[in-house]
Amino acid sequence: MINNILNFWNYSIKRQLVLGITFLTLGMFLTLSFVILEKQKVFLNESNINQSKNRTNSLAVNSASWLMSNDYIGLQEVVDSISSYKDEVHIMIVDLKGKIVAHSDKSKVGQYLVDDLSVKHLNSLTKNFEVLKLYSTKDNHFIEVASPIFYKNQLLGYVRNRMDNKYWINSFETIKNEFMLFTFIATLFAILFAYLSANILTKNFYNLIDVTKKIKAGEKNIKANENVVKEIQLLSKEFNSMIEVKEKNEQVILELNQNLEKIVQERTKELNFLNENLEEKIAQ
């Protein structure tokens, strides 16, 4: 398996360049997207909590005098003014016994909170704003918070507010999809850039290979193109220098062969002359 991967990777420089730049770009943008999306998620969660805190604390302040005077009609009006927001699931005001004295669903007024989370919260008598629950599934997203109601530093009860998070979730999903699209487009550009760069680089190598083939076939006065990128230019210059040295050596050898042939012809002519003279003397 590893050998197959290595063979696939080492097949050509072009493939290494394309795959290397593609993986580098993809990894860089995925990492960047992950970091930014996580920060955005934290920011949206904090914004959601702050919004719910401001809205719930405001209701707690406005309902203090109504709860102190047991004016349940006034409390209901205050609750109704808040429940008109689109992201409100439900909002209620409870006393310290857990009795619902005002609710966005009027049918629940007069009932008691008996679930474990509510009982635990009421028994704590906390005087601070609290996030009671963050709930998120594929279809449902909400946050439930509680703010204490004070009247002259006396704890009277709590405002319980459950808000729908789908607007924040949809916003986050939109941002995530945009980042994924941006990463995809950036990766395509990286592949195109890598492919063009690899073609330019390998084209110069193939030109050198063509030159070597022509020289091998016996062609003369062939030079590698030196008007290329620096690294290939150095290789081309060295290659051309090697060709020049080779041609000079061939010229020297050719001249030596020609001189040797000339000497052999002269010596042959001298021997023939001596041989003729010797034959004439013998004949006399």
Side-chain angles (χ1 to χ4, degrees), residues 146-163:
S147 291
I149 302 173
F150 292 104
Y151 185 80
K152 295 182 179 179
N153 295 325
Q154 179 185 353
L155 181 63
L156 303 177
Y158 295 95
V159 174
R160 292 279 296 272
N161 189 9
R162 178 178 291 187
M163 296 174 58

Side-chain angles (χ1 to χ4, degrees), residues 31 40 44 49 56-57 73 145 156 160 179 205 221 245:
T31 303
Q40 186 67 24
L44 290 175
I49 292 173
T56 308
N57 284 346
I73 296 177
V145 298
L156 303 177
R160 292 279 296 272
F179 264 101
F205 280 118
N221 299 321
V245 171

Side-chain angles (χ1 to χ4, degrees), residues 156-279:
L156 303 177
Y158 295 95
V159 174
R160 292 279 296 272
N161 189 9
R162 178 178 291 187
M163 296 174 58
D164 196 339
N165 277 349
K166 67 179 181 180
Y167 302 103
W168 302 96
I169 298 297
N170 291 341
S171 177
F172 177 75
E173 289 297 322
T174 299
I175 294 172
K176 183 173 71 174
N177 292 336
E178 289 175 351
F179 264 101
M180 292 300 101
L181 178 61
F182 177 76
T183 300
F184 177 73
I185 294 174
T187 302
L188 289 181
F189 275 108
I191 294 174
L192 178 61
F193 172 77
Y195 181 78
L196 294 176
S197 299
N199 274 344
I200 293 173
L201 179 61
T202 55
K203 179 182 178 182
N204 295 325
F205 280 118
Y206 286 127
N207 287 338
L208 279 176
I209 294 173
D210 288 338
V211 171
T212 58
K213 288 181 178 179
K214 290 178 181 179
I215 293 174
K216 184 178 179 180
E219 294 188 29
K220 302 294 184 179
N221 299 321
I222 302 297
K223 300 290 183 181
N225 183 18
E226 297 181 3
N227 188 24
V228 290
V229 293
K230 184 176 181 181
E231 290 77 7
I232 307 299
Q233 184 184 63
L234 293 175
L235 182 61
S236 297
K237 286 182 177 179
E238 292 298 323
F239 183 82
N240 289 336
S241 297
M242 181 185 69
I243 296 302
E244 290 176 359
V245 171
K246 175 179 174 295
E247 290 178 348
K248 288 180 180 179
N249 290 337
E250 288 178 347
Q251 184 64 32
V252 170
I253 293 173
L254 179 61
E255 290 176 356
L256 288 175
N257 287 335
Q258 290 175 346
N259 291 333
L260 180 60
E261 184 178 353
K262 184 178 180 180
I263 292 172
V264 170
Q265 289 176 352
E266 290 177 352
R267 292 293 182 269
T268 300
K269 187 181 292 186
E270 289 177 359
L271 288 174
N272 289 334
F273 178 77
L274 292 174
N275 187 42
E276 290 176 356
N277 289 336
L278 181 60
E279 288 178 350

Side-chain angles (χ1 to χ4, degrees), residues 119-135:
V119 172
K120 181 179 179 181
H121 177 255
L122 289 169
N123 290 338
S124 69
L125 296 177
T126 180
K127 296 182 178 181
N128 299 315
F129 168 84
E130 286 190 359
V131 177
L132 300 180
K133 192 174 184 181
L134 278 170
Y135 183 79

Side-chain angles (χ1 to χ4, degrees), residues 58-71:
S58 175
L59 180 57
V61 171
N62 293 332
S63 62
S65 59
W66 302 104
L67 184 59
M68 185 65 184
S69 62
N70 294 324
D71 188 346

